[in-house]
């Protein structure tokens, strides 16, 4: 009989051990290059290698990457049906095929022929091919593929007897015991300060060693200063437990007239000993005299914002200054407490304002806690965490600081409850994880599902620190305890490796794991870098973050590939970091120097040359402008001198021609140009009074064509032949008018003598050039 019992117990232990293990099959459906796997090993860097009938496969916990020979690679490998493999003393992988041996050099990730007879793979026919990796996982070569058997470990442990029931309310009492209320079995368990179960609190107020229902679903438990235990329930009930002399409790259900809603989510005590009730449908209510045999309860249903609404309050806290802050399904309600007459207290609702970035981030507020000094923390259902000082919260325009996944290290915006951990740490409970957040440093440690259990779903209860320093958390599947050692220590730190460099249009480079520097060519600026934290037990909850050149870390995510697009030339330092399998950041930062080569036109010398060329171009433009301006000025001066000759024609042929103006012209012009202008001048002098004089005749007189006449005059005097004739006539008219200043002159006669057949046209032309009519010149004693 005794032997049978022993056999039964051993069988049961084996069964439990099997149930605690997970087995995963890897074959061609998982990315292995062939369904026949011949061997398995782990290299010195931590990668798992499979030899198959289609080359080698490297596994980093995420992806199988194939390594095999390629045409033109210089090897004599004729077959990659690998039968066995082993590591040589240098860590290289020796592969045995039916046609000989070859080697994978792990430093360069190239295949090489083996001609040295000392390199051999010891055959192991008929031996089961197993590998126990550095994590303790067992890899076994199967008929089809390879299996991995793991034994999952979750640092947090479930409170015995609570598996499968929702942990809904916690309390630490004055007797150094802690209370745990669960929902489905309507039970209240009481434990000592060593976390040993003392018993179940029954409806009779006594502790029972066997599982005994309390017959109420407790949603909140608190102990008043008088030692009474107050319990808020759902469905509705407000209970007071008063301790008897024998340690049992007298249980009373409070039914005061002011209690308009007894679905109570939270109970808190203020400095005056009053109890504030957060009801789910009746707003805020106050027990003014909790120690009385028949307590009075005040509600505020006739006070804004509770008037005419069924306000659902989840949490309530009392601030340092004695005011209250309530977390509701529609924003925050702040209360200014009147200690003289509690009924005259006033309240105000704060909600999200899309026009103010400093307003509340989300109206669905799940919890609110205070650090006991000035700072108040607000948990929203899907807007992250809001932080505000009490002074600002109760001011005319409250200013909230927002922390969420888009602007901080938080890994989720869904927040359910909060607890102050101390030293600036804030515990944030989310639906599937717990975050240890330090707002001032923007540092977050995430305790993911692997830390708790694979199907974690947390309840809304606030975490509670137990007497031994452990933390108690509520889940839909039970209550869980996390010890300080589990939360603070890191245990296994997964090595972080760069696994692949993939440049568009080229084969992936797996040897990046052996490099600390990579060089990107000028035509390869679109590329991606992959990396992995080598954890073969469970990497599903590992998060990664990265930064370039020491800038701010990126948002944490499961993504383990970074893609660069059209990166500029230069030298960059890429850093990546990962959490462990439980979501906690580890000191495994890995760096990679990326050197992006520059095109010739992006080099420093090319830039200097471009700057010099631009400078030369600017100087050339400036010089050209100055030259053109000087040329125009010279032509205007030459034109003025030339017109002065026309203004003073020779009286006779015998008059010498070497006047001062003629000397200057002859010095500034070539002989041919001087003769050409002299002919033009002679024609104008001879025909200045001839109204029939025209350009064709002038061209004939100078023995040239009309077009050449205009071209020559433009190049020498910057004027056309027609305009020159007009200017000469008007200047002649002006001289005649100035000579007869103060005398009565006949404007028409002067017009005719200067070649104008229409005196009115002459007057308009004269005024256009000189700004005054001819009569104005003749009426003055002198033009100047």
């Amino acid at each position: 009989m005794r032997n049978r019992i022993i056999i039964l117990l051993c069988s049961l232990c084996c069964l439990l051990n099997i149930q605690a293990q997970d087995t995963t099959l890897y074959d061609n459906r998982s990315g292995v290059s062939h369904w026949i796997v011949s061997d398995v090993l782990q290299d010195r860097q931590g990668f798992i290698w499979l030899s198959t009938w289609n080359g080698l496969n490297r596994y980093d916990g995420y992806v199988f990457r194939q390594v095999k020979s390629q045409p033109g690679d210089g090897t004599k490998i004729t077959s990659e049906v690998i039968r066995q493999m082993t590591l040589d003393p240098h860590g290289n992988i020796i592969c045995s095929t039916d046609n000989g041996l070859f080697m994978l050099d792990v430093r360069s990730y190239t295949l090489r022929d083996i001609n040295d007879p000392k390199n051999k793979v010891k055959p192991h026919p008929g031996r089961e091919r197993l590998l126990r990796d550095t994590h303790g996982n067992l890899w076994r070569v199967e008929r089809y593929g390879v299996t991995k058997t793991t034994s999952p470990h979750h640092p947090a442990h479930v409170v015995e007897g609570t598996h499968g029931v929702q942990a809904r309310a916690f309390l630490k009492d004055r007797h150094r015991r802690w209370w745990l209320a669960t929902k489905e079995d309507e039970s209240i368990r009481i434990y000592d300060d060593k976390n040993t179960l003392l018993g179940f609190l029954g409806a009779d107020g006594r502790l029972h060693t066997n599982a005994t229902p309390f017959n109420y679903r407790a949603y909140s438990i608190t102990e008043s200063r008088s030692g009474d235990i107050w319990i808020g329930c759902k469905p509705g009930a407000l209970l007071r437990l008063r301790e008897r002399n024998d340690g049992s409790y007298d249980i009373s259900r409070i039914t005061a007239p002011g209690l308009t809603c007894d679905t109570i989510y939270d109970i808190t005590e203020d400095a005056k000993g009053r109890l504030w009730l957060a009801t789910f449908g009746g707003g805020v209510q106050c027990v003014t005299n909790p120690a009385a045999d028949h307590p009075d309860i005040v509600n505020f249903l006739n006070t804004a914002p509770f008037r005419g609404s069924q306000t659902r309050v989840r949490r309530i806290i009392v601030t340092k200054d004695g005011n209250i802050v309530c977390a509701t399904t529609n924003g925050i309600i702040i209360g200014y407490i009147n200690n003289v007459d509690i009924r005259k207290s006033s309240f105000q609702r704060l909600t999200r304002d899309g026009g103010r970035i400093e307003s509340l981030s989300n109206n669905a507020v799940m919890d609110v806690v205070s650090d006991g000094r000035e700072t108040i923390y607000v948990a929203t259902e899907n807007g992250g965490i809001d932080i505000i000082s009490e002074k600002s919260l109760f001011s005319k325009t409250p200013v909230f600081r927002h922390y969420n996944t888009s602007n901080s290290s938080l890994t989720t915006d869904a927040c359910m409850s909060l607890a102050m951990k101390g030293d600036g740490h804030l515990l944030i409970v989310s639906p599937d994880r717990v975050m240890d957040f330090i707002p001032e440093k923007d540092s977050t440690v995430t305790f993911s599902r692997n830390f708790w259990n694979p199907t974690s779903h947390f309840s809304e209860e606030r975490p509670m620190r137990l007497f031994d320093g452990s933390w108690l958390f509520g889940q839909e599947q039970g209550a869980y305890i996390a010890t300080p050692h589990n939360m603070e220590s890191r245990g296994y730190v997964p090595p972080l490796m760069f696994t692949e460099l993939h440049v568009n249009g080229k084969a992936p480079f797996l040897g990046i794991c052996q490099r600390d520097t990579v060089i990107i060519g000028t035509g390869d600026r679109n590329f991606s870098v992959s990396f992995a934290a080598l954890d073969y037990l469970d990497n599903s909850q590992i998060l990664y973050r990265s930064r370039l050149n020491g800038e701010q870390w990126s948002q944490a995510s499961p993504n383990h590939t970074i893609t660069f697009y059209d990166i500029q030339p230069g030298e960059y330092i890429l850093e990546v970091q990962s959490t462990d399998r439980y979501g906690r950041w580890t000191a495994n930062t890995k760096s990679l120097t990326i050197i992006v080569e520059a095109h010739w036109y992006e080099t420093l010398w090319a830039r200097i040359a471009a700057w010099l060329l631009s400078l030369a171009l600017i100087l050339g433009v400036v010089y050209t402008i100055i030259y053109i301006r000087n040329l125009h000025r010279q032509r205007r001066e030459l034109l003025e001198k030339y017109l002065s000759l026309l203004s003073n024609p020779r009286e006779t042929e015998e008059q010498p021609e070497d006047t001062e103006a003629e000397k200057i012209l002859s010095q500034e012009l070539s002989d041919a140009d001087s003769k050409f202008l002299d002919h033009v001048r002679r024609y104008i002098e001879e025909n200045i009074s001839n109204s029939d004089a025209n350009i064709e005749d002038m061209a004939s007189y100078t023995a040239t064509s009309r077009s050449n006449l205009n071209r020559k005059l433009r190049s020498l005097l910057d004027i056309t032949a027609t305009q020159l004739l007009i200017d000469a006539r008007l200047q002649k008219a002006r001289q005649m008018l100035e000579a007869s200043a103060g005398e009565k002159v006949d404007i028409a006669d002067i017009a005719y003598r200067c070649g104008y057949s229409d005196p009115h046209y002459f007057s308009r032309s004269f005024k256009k050039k000189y700004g005054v009519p001819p009569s104005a010149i003749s009426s003055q004693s002198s033009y100047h």
Side-chain angles (χ1 to χ4, degrees), residues 488-536:
E488 302 302 331
S489 65
R490 291 296 175 266
Y492 173 72
V493 177
L496 189 56
M497 305 296 296
F498 290 103
T499 58
E500 182 181 78
L501 172 64
H502 192 187
V503 178
N504 286 350
K506 296 184 178 181
F509 176 57
L510 305 186
I512 190 175
C513 61
Q514 295 284 357
R515 304 286 184 87
D516 56 11
T517 301
V518 294
I519 298 176
I520 304 299
T522 56
D524 301 332
R525 294 186 181 179
N526 294 335
F527 63 93
S528 61
V529 177
S530 298
F531 40 87
L534 303 183
D535 189 335
Y536 303 110

Side-chain angles (χ1 to χ4, degrees), residues 140-151:
R140 184 192 307 269
V141 175
E142 305 289 353
R143 178 176 175 83
Y144 304 110
V146 63
T147 58
K148 179 188 69 176
T149 302
T150 62
S151 299

